[in-house]
Amino acid sequence: MRPFGHVTFCGLELTHPVINASGTFDAIAARRVFGDELLERFPFSAFVSKTVTVQPRQGNPPPRLWELPAGLMNSIGLPNKGLYGYLAEDLPQLAALPVPLIVNVMGFSRDEVAELVGAFAERDEVAALELNVSCPNVETGLVMGADPDEVERLLVAVRPLTGKPLIVKLTPNATDVAAVARAAQNAGADALSLINTIRGMALRPGSSEPWLGGGTGGVSGPAVGAVALAQVNAVHAAVQIPIIAMGGVRSGRDARDLMNAGAALVAVGTESFRDPAAGARIVFELEQLSSQTASPARL
Ligand SMILES: Cc1cc2nc3c(=O)[nH]c(=O)nc-3n(C[C@H](O)[C@H](O)[C@H](O)COP(=O)(O)O)c2cc1C
């Protein structure tokens, strides 16, 4: 296992390897509740914003959540203020956080992604960009992140627009995630993050109608931990660029497993809804684990 503590990730100096997963920790709301204490004891070594799209989005109709025996399914539908609302209202608040800001963006065409990347390329407050490629390209009907050629064409279009690190967030709903990872690397991605949520469905009890307003939803939490581990392991074997791993992390032990499978950083997602202090706890647990020498008795 890698030693715990300071990490250099794509040129960013981070105090530890634990960050948040996009869309699962609202730093602006947390600042309202906890005030400056949040800044003094910020749990993550970088902050990843929820997905920003070019146009404002209302998100999906309710219900948006379904609890699973070992996780959560959501069809939130990426509500957000849109690029210009984010730049005017959210960016100044997120820039006040004491850690580097990674902005997660998603477009419904290559031109939209290019508009987002181009706009954030000019902003000094933004340390890196994460490309959420889990949506269909309206021009081809293909989910951008499920197809190596789509990912390559996307990177060819947006790579020249910024010198900032580009992190491609892979979807687990791909036939061959390692092939997509290789395509992203070869077309200029600086890092990869995985896994996003896995498509799932629930029925309105006793009916054949979907429960979620969006029809299907994304499964996250402990239920997807083993999938995340397998995919991080496969992607690590396929590429040389660094990996941010997420999916079902509840404890330092889960984080350590993903790092042993090849992750440079680990992100905490659904667990932050169950335990808002999960980020800080997982940092502490990971530190404890790395100060112990590996021995079967301590596994
Ligand atoms: C309620 C919720 C909202 C999410 N919003 C986003 C988002 O805006 N952008 C994104 O790329 N991923 C989003 N995700 C996916 C997470 O960032 C993460 O990839 C996934 O949940 C797996 O990690 P976990 O099992 O620790 O939650 C969201 C997940 C949840 C549960």
Side-chain angles (χ1 to χ4, degrees), residues 21-23 51 74 78 104 132 169 195-197 220-221 246-248 269-270:
S22 175
T51 293
N74 86 83
L78 308 174
N104 178 305
N132 177 357
K169 184 165 182 178
I195 60 175
N196 210 321
T197 55
S220 64
M246 67 205 81
T270 300

Side-chain angles (χ1 to χ4, degrees), residues 71-116:
L72 185 68
M73 185 159 54
N74 86 83
S75 77
I76 307 280
L78 308 174
N80 74 98
K81 296 172 183 169
L83 172 60
Y84 298 99
Y86 182 91
L87 288 172
E89 293 170 30
D90 290 1
L91 187 58
Q93 297 183 68
L94 296 175
L97 297 176
V99 295
L101 174 64
I102 300 174
V103 177
N104 178 305
V105 298
M106 190 187 82
F108 294 95
S109 65
R110 283 193 286 282
D111 285 349
E112 278 197 359
V113 183
E115 183 174 349
L116 290 154

Side-chain angles (χ1 to χ4, degrees), residues 14-49:
L14 307 181
T15 51
H16 60 73
V18 180
I19 67 173
N20 66 299
S22 175
T24 63
F25 188 89
D26 186 339
I28 294 175
R31 176 92 195 267
R32 270 199 300 273
V33 174
F34 297 107
D36 287 349
E37 202 185 332
L38 179 78
L39 307 186
E40 284 149 25
R41 298 169 49 196
F42 198 72
F44 303 110
S45 62
F47 181 74
V48 184
S49 74

